[in-house]
Amino acid sequence: MSAKEKEGYAFPQGFVWGTGTSAYQVEGAWDEDGKGESIWDRFSHTPGKIANGDTGDVACDHYRLYPVDVSLAAQLNLNSYRFSIAWPRVQPDGEGAFNEAGMAFYDRLIDELLAKGITPFVTLYHWDLPQALQDQGGWGNRRVTDLFAAYAAKMVERYADRVRFWTTFNEPWCTSHLGHEYGIHAPGLKDPALTRQVAHNLLLSHGKAVQSMRAAAAGLGLTREIEIGIVLNLSITEPLRPDDPADCKLAEDAFKLDCGHYLDPLFRGVYPQVVAQGIGDLQAGDLAQIAQKLDFLGINYYFRNIATAKQGPVHPIAGQEYTQMGWEVNADSLRNLLVRVAGDYPEAPPLYVTENGAAFAESFDTNGQLMPDVRRQAYLESHISAMTRAMQSGVDVRGYFAWSLLDNFEWAEGYARRFGLVYVDFATQKRTIKASGHWFAGVAANNAL
Ligand code: FCB
């Protein structure tokens, strides 16, 4: 029996199957060919910030090995590939001169993808701000919003003849909260008062960039429109005890605040009151700038949040599986999230699942052969299946990107967490497609689960 008969779900024609990476996590070449320092270079070079003292200095050496990686993507039958541009590689100081050698790298990557029939899906900001801008206050400085819009427009001018799909930001919540409140991501600040301002400035940068990018595309006289979206890690919060009204109320309030923080301004031009109150510099006209019409919304999903009025630790929940990150495996919540977002925000554009995946340690047999990563495959299968249930309920999902193509630098966790469909031996840079990768290649080829 084929997989298609077993599950009986055939995806719509043209459904996007991809994997994602981000510049700092895979490229390496952190100071080569005129690249400027990023906040992640600075952060990872600061002792004590990253597990095991790891850095992204070399990472997967994708800067050199990108042809190998693109052919791996082709072997996985992907029709799309999501990657990010490192702002300091193309504009070392985040303002002023652009770096031709850095821009030429992305020319080569894009051309290689297109030659293999793979559609590039470009992210403009996946967390690696030029350090020179951090030195001026980073995302806390409103001036950076205009600099981001100028950089975004330049990227459109350079690549939009070959790139149709653009996202402004990846997971702005991580930048504002992990980077400025908890201090576990670059720039490593613990300044709760700054957090909501940073979140606002990120959304404002997004809105300004959407406008500058559309103007740049029009200036190029492109015959077809570029498509612009944003990628959010919308956390869905569910009650620990679904029959307990107190848990349910907390979960509902958390959903409205966490998701509303981004979806309300983006699609309705308003902030939840609590959020607005936390933004020191919220100027007239900002919300109108933020609420630009978008072509798609990317949602990254790994796990759900739990709300409970009960005292004491929530995790682990008996009977639930957890990944190496300590994240609960719960595929139903992906279905619930997609249905909820589409239902609560009919104004929202079509959705993509732009990240989903799991870190599990790999094991080897006595001959040194990589053993099948059955848990990762099961994770992907159950989540893709959950996504199909949302689609069967009428949610317009256009694509699915597994995180990640390669094992890579997992931020504060360094190289100790492997999310790849392809195993990377970091000592030799040898790549080996995992069993989950072969399985995913079949799903993409059949366009069916
Ligand atoms: C997301 C990030 C991505 C990756 C996964 C595991 O929050 O966008 O870069 O690290 O988590």
Side-chain angles (χ1 to χ4, degrees):
M1 185 165 56
S2 73
K4 184 172 172 180
E5 284 156 350
K6 194 173 81 189
E7 290 284 342
Y9 193 85
F11 286 86
Q13 216 191 346
F15 194 79
V16 169
W17 292 104
T19 55
T21 59
S22 83
Y24 188 71
Q25 294 179 279
V26 300
E27 283 179 4
W30 76 280
D31 63 349
E32 288 183 45
D33 297 338
K35 177 179 166 293
E37 185 189 18
S38 81
I39 56 173
W40 269 94
D41 294 317
R42 178 71 61 95
F43 190 66
S44 71
H45 292 159
T46 308
K49 298 297 185 194
I50 312 293
N52 196 38
D54 289 341
T55 73
D57 291 3
V58 178
C60 305
D61 199 16
H62 177 75
Y63 189 69
R64 261 172 283 276
L65 296 178
Y66 71 90
V68 174
D69 297 334
V70 171
S71 56
L72 285 164
Q75 285 176 59
L76 295 181
N77 302 319
L78 307 181
N79 55 30
S80 187
Y81 176 64
R82 176 173 177 252
F83 66 94
S84 78
I85 293 176
W87 185 357
R89 191 178 293 292
V90 297
Q91 191 180 30
D93 293 334
E95 59 185 316
F98 282 86
N99 176 29
E100 176 56 35
M103 292 195 292
F105 167 67
Y106 297 106
D107 279 328
R108 294 195 292 277
L109 174 58
I110 290 165
D111 291 346
E112 191 79 16
L113 288 164
L114 294 174
K116 293 264 189 322
I118 299 172
T119 302
F121 208 94
V122 171
T123 304
L124 289 170
Y125 188 79
H126 202 127
W127 305 354
D128 43 1
L129 187 74
Q131 180 63 40
L133 296 186
Q134 188 62 42
D135 295 342
Q136 301 176 33
W139 292 112
N141 180 349
R142 195 179 172 96
R143 187 170 167 261
V144 175
T145 64
D146 292 319
L147 298 177
F148 181 77
Y151 149 68
K154 176 79 175 179
M155 295 302 97
V156 165
E157 282 166 18
R158 176 85 180 205
Y159 304 117
D161 59 332
R162 288 156 290 161
V163 174
R164 180 175 182 131
F165 294 96
W166 297 82
T167 61
T168 52
F169 286 89
N170 177 71
E171 299 190 353
W173 180 89
C174 290
T175 296
S176 56
H177 288 69
L178 298 183
H180 296 79
E181 182 176 4
Y182 305 118
I184 58 175
H185 279 187
L189 302 180
K190 292 183 185 161
D191 185 354
L194 186 63
T195 306
R196 291 228 192 272
Q197 187 66 53
V198 165
H200 175 66
N201 289 351
L202 290 167
L203 285 169
L204 186 60
S205 303
H206 158 84
K208 289 183 177 180
V210 174
Q211 297 171 73
S212 70
M213 292 163 77
R214 291 214 195 285
L220 291 174
L222 288 175
T223 47
R224 56 164 174 66
E225 287 277 306
I226 57 170
E227 296 203 22
I228 308 178
I230 188 169
V231 168
L232 303 175
N233 53 324
L234 291 174
S235 48
I236 176 156
T237 300
E238 296 185 323
L240 179 65
R241 298 163 299 179
D243 52 356
D244 181 312
D247 284 11
C248 291
K249 164 121 189 19
L250 283 174
E252 188 55 25
D253 290 351
F255 184 86
K256 289 222 169 87
L257 181 62
D258 296 342
C259 296
H261 186 166
Y262 295 93
L263 298 177
D264 288 3
L266 284 167
F267 299 116
R268 295 179 184 159
V270 292
Y271 272 122
Q273 212 185 350
V274 184
V275 175
Q277 283 163 353
I279 303 170
D281 182 15
L282 174 56
Q283 299 182 11
D286 283 1
L287 279 157
Q289 296 247 44
I290 292 170
Q292 297 300 314
K293 191 176 170 320
L294 296 182
D295 301 302
F296 63 89
L297 170 64
I299 294 184
N300 293 352
Y301 174 81
Y302 291 92
F303 59 92
R304 63 174 179 163
N305 290 336
I306 304 274
T308 181
K310 210 173 107 189
Q311 297 293 313
V314 172
H315 294 293
I317 298 170
Q320 288 297 90
E321 184 185 13
Y322 288 81
T323 72
Q324 221 189 359
M325 299 290 283
W327 295 347
E328 182 201 352
V329 177
N330 195 316
D332 283 344
S333 299
L334 171 59
R335 181 234 162 239
N336 298 345
L337 175 63
L338 295 169
V339 169
R340 180 87 197 252
V341 169
D344 283 16
Y345 294 88
E347 311 88 338
L351 306 180
Y352 288 81
V353 174
T354 31
E355 284 182 28
N356 177 236
F360 291 114
E362 311 302 342
S363 45
F364 294 84
D365 67 16
T366 45
N367 297 320
Q369 295 295 312
L370 192 59
M371 302 280 282
D373 55 333
V374 287
R375 294 177 74 190
R376 183 176 292 99
Q377 181 174 324
Y379 181 101
L380 296 173
E381 185 162 12
S382 63
H383 285 72
I384 294 170
S385 171
M387 175 180 73
T388 67
R389 280 184 274 124
M391 294 168 76
Q392 280 165 325
S393 307
V395 182
D396 185 1
V397 184
R398 301 277 171 96
Y400 175 93
F401 293 82
W403 184 270
S404 173
L405 176 65
L406 304 168
D407 292 336
N408 59 44
F409 177 83
E410 179 45 37
W411 308 112
E413 308 294 339
Y415 296 99
R417 300 288 181 268
R418 294 178 177 272
F419 277 91
L421 299 187
V422 174
Y423 183 85
V424 177
D425 179 337
F426 292 104
T428 61
Q429 293 295 349
K430 181 167 181 276
R431 277 94 158 119
T432 309
I433 299 178
K434 300 179 190 177
S436 60
H438 289 296
W439 173 83
F440 191 62
V443 175
N446 297 330
N447 200 29
L449 188 64

